[in-house]
Amino acid sequence: MIQFRINLTAIIILFSCFISSAKETINLQNATIEFSSKKLTVKQALDEINSLSDISIFYGSQEPFLNLNIVFSSRTLTVQKALDEIKSQAPVTVIFNKDHVIVKSKEETKKYRIHGMVKEAETMESLTGVAIYVKGTSIGTVTDLDGTFSMDLSPGDYQLVCRYMGHQEQQININLSQDVDLNFSLKIQHNKLKEVNITGNITEVKSLETGRPIETIDSKVVNHLNTNDVNDALLGRINGVWTTKISGAPGDHHNIKIRGISSILGSTDPLYVVDGVIIPVVNFKTLGIADLNSHDVNSISVLKDASSTALYGCLGGNGVVIVETKKGGGKTSFNFNVKKGMQH
């Protein structure tokens, strides 16, 4: 009997609390507010309701609806009626919770479509692959083969950017409250190039272009060699260049390494360039310049540092040997040399 009375008392207390809470909510909604004006912003209206002693209004300070204008049917309204008129004119949700009210943005599920076409202003031809996006966001799309585009966005204010290579960028501000047809007309952008630097196969490398002196062997040194192998000109004459004979067989090529051995399984031979033409590499071995007539050589330059990769990319990773041959011109001269030897 005692336990039954205790449980009955607890039920009565909970029911009383529920009735009390319901009364507070009813009194909260029926409270009267007299606004300072019939036309106010949502923030001003909520702040005036919040000034009542028996009510508290909570909302986020960065909510987008706060600056929207509201026109009330009368200056004197109940809190419930005022909140209903705010809901009818602004995208908000009102939640009653005992002695306070929470006002937050309504979750918009409806979206509107922006559809249009991008053309070139002069020829009026449709442009494919044009980027159209909302400025400051990652929301966007590109035009199809017909130059048309479409994207769906929630209601609101947007700044659309239309960008295409070689054309002037165009921006349009829109207030999206319904489906919109939007067309862009882009003008060609004429830019003048002030300076153009072209890097390619060159016949003369200056020290100022590479940042350090380029070691070069001229034709006088090559002509004084008692050999027909151009590779002999590199033997012991340039720092960082290691030149050895593979074997003593007649006509055997040299083994040349620049800055040491830089690979175990790959090629370690330098890149050979004769008059701007690259000597091909076959099976990780270059054909070299052993078969080149030494009397045709005008100069031999060796690129050992960053200048080699700057000019020839990954091909110059093992260094570059640049050979320039003699050119016609000047006074006519005849040189006759005879050399005789035997190898076995």
Side-chain angles (χ1 to χ4, degrees), residues 3 29 46 76 78 89 93 97 110-111 145 165 173 184 205 218 275 281 342:
Q3 185 177 2
Q29 297 174 358
L46 295 178
T76 304
T78 63
Q89 301 180 53
T93 300
N97 189 3
K110 182 174 179 58
K111 289 190 175 183
L145 295 176
M165 182 179 296
N173 296 322
F184 291 93
V205 182
D218 59 18
D275 291 335
V281 177
M342 182 181 296

Side-chain angles (χ1 to χ4, degrees), residues 46-67:
L46 295 178
D47 289 342
E48 292 190 14
I49 297 174
N50 203 26
S51 64
L52 296 176
S53 58
D54 297 332
I55 189 171
S56 297
I57 303 289
F58 295 95
Y59 59 85
S61 60
Q62 302 297 325
E63 292 285 5
F65 60 77
L66 293 177
N67 294 324

Side-chain angles (χ1 to χ4, degrees), residues 228-244:
N228 287 327
D229 194 342
V230 181
N231 289 312
D232 289 337
L234 298 174
L235 185 60
R237 286 183 171 83
I238 297 180
N239 295 329
V241 178
W242 175 35
T243 304
T244 58

